[in-house]
Amino acid sequence: MTHAIVIAAFGRQSLIQTEQGEQMSAVTRGRSLQVTVGDQVQAVPLGAGQAVIESVARRRNEFKRSDAARTKWLAANLDQAGIVIAPDPPYSEELLLRVMIAGQAEGIRLALIVNKSDLGSARTRIEPRLQVYRALGYEVIECSARTEPDATRAALLPWLRGRTTLLLGQSGMGKSTLINCLVPDAGQHTREISAALAAGKHTTTFTRMFRLPDDPQGRIIDSPGFQAFGLEHLSESQRAHAMPEFEALLGQCRFHNCTHRTEPGCAIREAALDGRIDTIRYQLFVRLTGESEAIARAKPWKG
Ligand SMILES: Nc1nc2c(ncn2[C@@H]2O[C@H](COP(=O)(O)OP(=O)(O)O)[C@@H](O)[C@H]2O)c(=O)[nH]1
Ligand SMILES: [Mg+2]
Ligand SMILES: [Zn+2]
């Protein structure tokens, strides 16, 4: 039995790496055993670069999204996550809120990576939003992966150093450009992993972990871009607790089971109405709750 870490996952196939640095393609024993990138596993080598994963260690945290039908794990056992946004095409405030709630609910340290900072006027337009995130305590790191690769490395490598970081973001923000800027041989690695996983042409549809140059402990995890980010795995209360600006106000509403939408005496709505908390995030939060209820109503009753 060998101890290993999952460095790429594609369906039931994964690529694992032992402490000695040996890589093997692996499947799990049994369908109920699911692995994701960053998992610590016990595996039995079968020879010829193959292995069977027998067990998965308890996760310190996990970044996941879910809709009514299924849950998708992005990665586990993270030190932090960088959410990549850009001024053009404009990032979605709603997707950003959802990703932030998912990470915050797991206690994962989050930073915003604002790419394409070279896009002057579009960049200026999002500045008020960046101020909101800075005020909430999130680190905001600016870069231009395509036009200023050296400055981008200088801005990001100190933040990445010695840590395991998940990079995630909606498509088009420049995540692939960023990975290629930070990991010199990312393209070659991805082709090798893709071949090992027999993923064929779907080179961007799986999550994989890279080593950072000149950084023995540093790891960066690239994940596929997304167009939707469901939070069905989180209760209303867990979502509310994942909003840092709500924290001091929770418990001050008139009703203990307040949904912070229309109830009289809601401390959070009052704070949004008089500008003490950001109204855009508040309104998006309220919309999440409404959507969740619609799904709950549509589910058949199982008595
Ligand atoms: N202006 C500008 N464009 C960028 C920058 N980084 C990436 N892009 C462009 O944005 C587009 C999407 O980049 P890509 O890395 O494929 O995004 P991904 O979908 O997030 O992986 C491409 O046309 C890139 O050339 C940047 O720093 N500045
Ligand atoms: Mg990409
Ligand atoms: Zn309330």
Side-chain angles (χ1 to χ4, degrees), residues 249-255 257-270 282:
L249 300 166
L250 290 170
Q252 291 182 25
C253 302
R254 186 177 306 164
F255 302 108
N257 58 349
C258 187
T259 64
H260 319 303
R261 279 180 288 175
T262 52
E263 291 92 339
C266 171
I268 288 171
R269 197 180 68 251
E270 280 164 13
Y282 169 73

Side-chain angles (χ1 to χ4, degrees), residues 94-112:
E94 181 180 343
L95 280 176
L96 179 56
L97 179 83
R98 287 166 173 271
V99 172
M100 288 180 123
I101 288 177
Q104 194 82 34
E106 287 286 323
I108 297 166
R109 189 166 90 121
L110 302 175
L112 288 192

Side-chain angles (χ1 to χ4, degrees), residues 115-116 118-119 144-147 170-177:
N115 188 35
K116 310 195 195 183
D118 54 289
L119 299 177
S144 297
R146 195 183 71 191
T147 61
Q170 64 187 101
S171 312
M173 301 292 107
K175 197 161 52 59
S176 297
T177 310

Side-chain angles (χ1 to χ4, degrees), residues 80-97:
Q80 57 185 11
I83 307 167
V84 184
I85 63 170
D88 190 60
Y91 73 92
S92 153
E93 278 287 336
E94 181 180 343
L95 280 176
L96 179 56
L97 179 83

Side-chain angles (χ1 to χ4, degrees), residues 162-300:
R163 301 186 179 122
T164 296
T165 305
L166 170 67
L167 275 196
L168 72 175
Q170 64 187 101
S171 312
M173 301 292 107
K175 197 161 52 59
S176 297
T177 310
L178 201 53
I179 289 280
N180 287 324
C181 170
L182 296 168
V183 183
D185 44 8
Q188 179 60 27
H189 271 288
T190 298
R191 281 188 291 278
E192 284 166 18
I193 293 172
S194 179
L197 290 179
K201 283 176 287 194
H202 309 282
T203 49
T204 58
T205 62
F206 61 89
T207 303
R208 63 269 201 201
M209 177 186 277
F210 300 103
R211 288 171 169 279
L212 286 161
D214 309 316
D215 183 351
Q217 297 298 317
R219 301 285 184 275
I220 190 163
I221 300 169
D222 188 18
S223 60
F226 48 77
Q227 318 275 3
F229 204 100
L231 296 172
E232 289 311 308
H233 59 287
L234 296 175
S235 69
E236 233 167 71
S237 158
Q238 285 173 318
R239 293 173 193 187
H241 281 278
M243 301 284 285
E245 66 269 58
F246 288 10
E247 203 60 55
L249 300 166
L250 290 170
Q252 291 182 25
C253 302
R254 186 177 306 164
F255 302 108
H256 80 279
N257 58 349
C258 187
T259 64
H260 319 303
R261 279 180 288 175
T262 52
E263 291 92 339
C266 171
I268 288 171
R269 197 180 68 251
E270 280 164 13
L273 285 173
D274 58 20
R276 278 175 288 131
I277 64 174
D278 180 56
T279 41
I280 293 179
R281 277 173 53 94
Y282 169 73
Q283 282 167 355
L284 290 170
F285 175 87
V286 164
R287 226 160 71 190
L288 284 183
T289 312
E291 163 195 309
S292 217
E293 279 206 340
I295 290 169
R297 273 198 302 274
K299 276 183 194 158

